[in-house]
Amino acid sequence: MATDTIKLEPSWKSRVGDYLLRPEMRALAEFLRSEKAQGKRIYPPGPQIFAALDATPFDATNVVILGQDPYHGPGQAHGLCFSVAPGVDVPPSLLNIFKEIERDLGLPRPKHGYLMPWAQQGVLLLNAVLTVEAGRAGAHQGKGWEGFTDHIVETLDREREGLVFMLWGSYAQAKGKIIDTRRHCVLRAPHPSPLSAHRGFIGCGHFSAANRWLQGRQRALIDWSLPA
């Protein structure tokens, strides 16, 4: 996996690009090539694997939402956690996110699940694992992506000040243990999945809390509404 062949936003490439040269990342690249050679379908499409970094440059990042791995249904994943491509039905977890935004901020629920407008405002929508096999949730866990995305979180924690990290569910919260809570705002809640959202995700108030934190640091607030 050579950095000169990977589409990576320049501010991220200068900070985390070298990680892609590590042996475990080369092994991951070989694994992905082998899977494709066997005819397995991998989501998201290759050019969109690093879409979260491309959409939200390092210095523009103000909020980080950590997901687990991409959606594994046809046409859903496009590289931003919890987001689905235009024209795709809103998945249940994202619907619960919209319900909480409606409850928290009074904003109407969007009719689509394309979260690119959030990313363009500085919300890094980062999955811990950046690829998945079609129809097999979690199929690429433990293949090397976690170390790379840990490195992204560590770099943000170390080089930036006063970020908001939204950690939903035990998986994201475990990944967030490296974050310095004295320097950053860390918001924790159950996962928005229908299996757990009722245990405290609905009612968490994270979206208004994030904007209060940003306002207190004279940063632009996030418009959590989505255009039709």
Side-chain angles (χ1 to χ4, degrees), residues 106-128:
L107 297 172
R109 295 179 207 172
K111 306 218 184 300
H112 65 87
Y114 186 57
L115 304 184
M116 184 62 77
W118 294 0
Q120 292 169 338
Q121 293 179 77
V123 181
L124 179 64
L125 297 165
L126 182 68
N127 275 315

Side-chain angles (χ1 to χ4, degrees), residues 11 27 51 79-80 93 113 121 180 224:
S11 70
L80 308 183
S93 290
Q121 293 179 77
D180 184 350
W224 295 106

Side-chain angles (χ1 to χ4, degrees), residues 102-185:
E102 181 181 43
R103 188 211 63 80
D104 188 19
L105 300 173
L107 297 172
R109 295 179 207 172
K111 306 218 184 300
H112 65 87
Y114 186 57
L115 304 184
M116 184 62 77
W118 294 0
Q120 292 169 338
Q121 293 179 77
V123 181
L124 179 64
L125 297 165
L126 182 68
N127 275 315
V129 176
L130 300 187
T131 57
V132 72
E133 182 184 340
R136 294 189 61 219
H140 292 179
Q141 290 179 12
K143 301 297 183 183
W145 281 126
E146 291 92 342
F148 176 63
T149 53
D150 275 350
H151 185 56
I152 291 171
V153 174
E154 288 167 354
T155 304
L156 285 166
D157 174 70
R158 183 178 65 251
E159 295 189 23
R160 295 291 311 280
E161 290 286 338
L163 301 182
V164 179
F165 289 86
M166 295 183 178
L167 308 180
W168 300 333
S170 57
Y171 190 93
Q173 288 165 24
K175 194 172 185 69
K177 286 180 180 176
I178 57 179
I179 300 165
D180 184 350
T181 56
R182 297 166 299 179
R183 296 170 47 245
H184 303 287
C185 175

Side-chain angles (χ1 to χ4, degrees), residues 14-199:
S14 67
R15 289 172 173 87
V16 302
D18 285 350
Y19 193 98
L20 298 172
L21 302 176
R22 294 189 180 194
E24 60 266 36
M25 298 307 291
R26 295 180 186 276
L28 170 61
E30 181 55 39
F31 165 75
L32 293 173
R33 282 192 291 269
S34 174
E35 293 288 280
K36 290 179 181 178
Q38 295 175 49
K40 295 180 180 178
R41 188 169 299 164
I42 307 299
Y43 298 135
Q48 295 179 335
I49 289 174
F50 297 103
L53 303 182
D54 292 330
T56 311
F58 181 83
D59 291 319
T61 300
N62 284 318
V63 178
V64 181
I65 298 178
L66 289 178
Q68 194 156 343
D69 62 350
Y71 295 120
H72 54 85
Q76 290 181 305
H78 67 101
L80 308 183
C81 75
F82 292 107
S83 181
V84 288
V88 176
D89 290 343
V90 176
S93 290
L94 183 54
L95 179 59
N96 282 331
I97 292 171
F98 290 161
K99 286 179 181 177
E100 174 55 18
I101 290 173
E102 181 181 43
R103 188 211 63 80
D104 188 19
L105 300 173
L107 297 172
R109 295 179 207 172
K111 306 218 184 300
H112 65 87
Y114 186 57
L115 304 184
M116 184 62 77
W118 294 0
Q120 292 169 338
Q121 293 179 77
V123 181
L124 179 64
L125 297 165
L126 182 68
N127 275 315
V129 176
L130 300 187
T131 57
V132 72
E133 182 184 340
R136 294 189 61 219
H140 292 179
Q141 290 179 12
K143 301 297 183 183
W145 281 126
E146 291 92 342
F148 176 63
T149 53
D150 275 350
H151 185 56
I152 291 171
V153 174
E154 288 167 354
T155 304
L156 285 166
D157 174 70
R158 183 178 65 251
E159 295 189 23
R160 295 291 311 280
E161 290 286 338
L163 301 182
V164 179
F165 289 86
M166 295 183 178
L167 308 180
W168 300 333
S170 57
Y171 190 93
Q173 288 165 24
K175 194 172 185 69
K177 286 180 180 176
I178 57 179
I179 300 165
D180 184 350
T181 56
R182 297 166 299 179
R183 296 170 47 245
H184 303 287
C185 175
V186 178
L187 303 173
R188 298 179 177 86
H191 195 276
S193 158
L195 297 175
S196 56
H198 64 283
R199 297 181 193 147

